[in-house]
Amino acid sequence: MEKPTYILAIESSCDETSAAVVSDGRTVCSNVIYSQIDLHKLYGGVVPEIASRKHIEKINQVITQALKEADRTLQQMDAIAVTYGPGLVGALLVGVAEAKAIAYAAGKPLVGVHHIEGHIAANYIEHEDLEPPFICLVVSGGHTHLVRVEGYDRFEILGRTRDDAAGEAFDKVARAIGLEYPGGPAIDRLAREGNREAIPFPRARVEGNEYDFSFSGLKSAVLNYLNQCEMKKLEVNRADVAASFQYAVTDVLTTHAIHAVKESGLNRFALAGGVASNSALRASIKEACEREGIQFYYPSPVYCTDNAAMIGVAGYYEFIKGVRHGWDLNAVPNLKLGQRI
Ligand code: KG4
Ligand code: ZN
């Protein structure tokens, strides 16, 4: 049997410092994640300077641990893959500098990876049968993209958010009803006790592109509702607000996603990104996919939020295609999907 291809992957684009070893692009040998969430909770969101400093403190530790848990040495790695965008520039730079140093010292090829392509690739880990083409909805703290995944390295953006990302809307609404950062999981939990039909929040319609999203109007509607309750001295049922807001978001995401799959002529759909672990979103898309005969894929929660395993998977497909980055690889905070630098 041929020797597997091992990728050591590094992810530091936001508030998770993570390293992983992935074999042949589909098997995760280790996936070590140091989450900084508790630090940023104090400020109600990610503080970029604190994130960068913490990445510097933790990065060597997570890499050493990832190799140890995989029972592999650095010399056994075939390449070093690293997220180089999009994300927070200072945070990205820590991972990029570390990956370059390791690759140079060990004489290994360096492969830069797009963070969102990593989120999409997370679906390959647990679904051996999944191969492009398929439609993917990427919903994270910074991105909301409806994508036609044409090949492992070819993407066509069908729709995107015009304003807030889905995760950002969850985080902002959570803060308004007094929940801790990150707001998505907190709303997900609280919404289970609420009535999603209680408050008819608006479903945004966007002119121009039927697949685009907009969440800022919905966020304003929630804030207005809360203000009005305060002015009228009415008690706010936070669980109803959470459930109704979540329903408005998941309803729009589901409708757009299913419409895109039906129009595409494909019958495979995947979810990706932090918000992909939302239980209401999964349930709503699962139901719609069953109704329409569409095969539905989604990653386990650990592969939805930021992690290096997904970067190792995307990095593997770049590596076998021949992508190599030089020692001049830089962090690109606004790197576009499908863009190669
Ligand atoms: O993918 P991710 O870890 O980071 C980015 O690349 O942005 O996504 C983080 C986002 C946060 O906004 C968080 O509130 C949201 O994902 N999130 C959720 C859930 N878990 C995480 N949103 C809704 N429901 C969840 N269960
Ligand atoms: Zn992410």
Side-chain angles (χ1 to χ4, degrees):
M1 237 174 72
E2 243 182 80
K3 173 194 161 305
T5 299
Y6 289 110
I7 306 284
L8 171 65
I10 299 171
E11 156 64 41
S12 70
S13 65
C14 191
D15 59 347
E16 264 90 28
T17 322
S18 182
V21 174
V22 173
S23 123
D24 282 341
R26 295 265 177 169
T27 307
V28 176
C29 307
S30 64
N31 184 30
V32 179
I33 304 168
Y34 169 77
S35 172
Q36 307 178 357
I37 280 178
D38 286 343
L39 271 177
H40 299 287
K41 247 182 199 161
L42 297 169
Y43 307 94
V46 178
V47 183
E49 288 78 5
I50 295 178
S52 312
R53 201 177 319 149
K54 209 65 197 174
H55 284 311
I56 293 173
E57 270 176 51
K58 288 288 170 185
I59 198 144
N60 280 318
Q61 205 176 312
V62 298
I63 291 170
T64 308
Q65 202 180 327
L67 287 167
K68 191 169 161 215
E69 285 182 17
D71 200 18
R72 293 282 171 272
T73 64
L74 182 56
Q75 274 318 320
Q76 289 173 311
M77 297 298 114
D78 293 280
I80 315 296
V82 63
T83 306
Y84 72 111
L88 302 169
V89 67
L92 287 164
L93 272 172
V94 177
V96 170
E98 177 82 10
K100 286 200 280 191
I102 291 181
Y104 182 75
K108 302 288 176 185
L110 176 70
V111 180
V113 175
H114 191 291
H115 182 75
I116 301 300
E117 294 179 17
H119 274 303
I120 295 170
N123 279 288
Y124 301 132
I125 298 171
E126 295 157 301
H127 306 295
E128 273 176 38
D129 61 319
L130 180 63
E131 282 176 6
F134 58 92
I135 302 293
C136 185
L137 175 68
V138 188
V139 270
S140 72
H143 307 271
T144 305
H145 282 75
L146 193 52
V147 183
R148 184 183 171 106
V149 182
E150 205 55 66
Y152 287 105
D153 62 341
R154 280 193 297 136
F155 308 90
E156 183 194 345
I157 300 174
L158 303 174
R160 51 157 64 87
T161 180
R162 298 272 177 98
D163 37 62
D164 292 349
E168 202 178 346
F170 268 97
D171 294 338
K172 287 176 178 169
V173 166
R175 193 198 292 215
I177 56 172
L179 300 173
E180 274 193 332
Y181 175 84
I187 289 195
D188 197 348
R189 277 191 299 274
L190 183 61
R192 285 176 205 153
E193 297 155 30
N195 171 10
R196 69 179 196 175
E197 316 270 359
I199 313 151
F201 288 129
R203 273 61 168 161
R205 257 182 254 114
V206 182
E207 297 290 317
N209 180 355
E210 57 184 342
Y211 297 129
D212 276 357
F213 304 95
S214 166
F215 296 109
S216 68
L218 170 60
K219 179 192 65 194
S220 303
V222 176
L223 296 180
N224 285 342
Y225 173 83
L226 295 172
N227 281 338
Q228 276 177 15
C229 288
E230 198 183 327
M231 272 167 15
K232 293 179 191 159
K233 307 250 178 294
L234 295 173
E235 203 183 317
V236 173
N237 182 328
R238 297 191 318 155
D240 281 353
V241 175
S244 302
F245 159 76
Q246 180 171 269
Y247 186 32
V249 175
T250 55
D251 195 17
V252 168
L253 291 174
T254 306
T255 312
H256 282 37
I258 299 300
H259 181 45
V261 183
K262 284 171 75 177
E263 290 288 303
S264 71
L266 305 170
N267 78 335
R268 278 180 299 203
F269 173 75
L271 263 182
V275 183
S277 51
N278 183 269
S279 57
L281 180 62
R282 286 178 183 228
S284 142
I285 294 193
K286 184 165 180 276
E287 193 209 303
C289 283
E290 277 170 6
R291 198 175 54 236
E292 302 290 344
I294 300 165
Q295 258 190 294
F296 176 36
Y297 301 86
Y298 52 89
S300 297
V302 66
Y303 299 128
C304 286
T305 43
D306 291 348
N307 68 90
M310 67 185 196
I311 302 305
V313 177
Y316 166 80
Y317 286 104
E318 294 286 283
F319 176 69
I320 57 169
K321 205 184 70 189
V323 171
R324 305 288 183 270
H325 280 93
W327 307 128
D328 58 350
L329 179 68
N330 206 349
V332 185
N334 56 356
L335 188 65
K336 302 282 175 289
L337 189 68
Q339 184 185 1
R340 297 283 179 273
I341 288 182

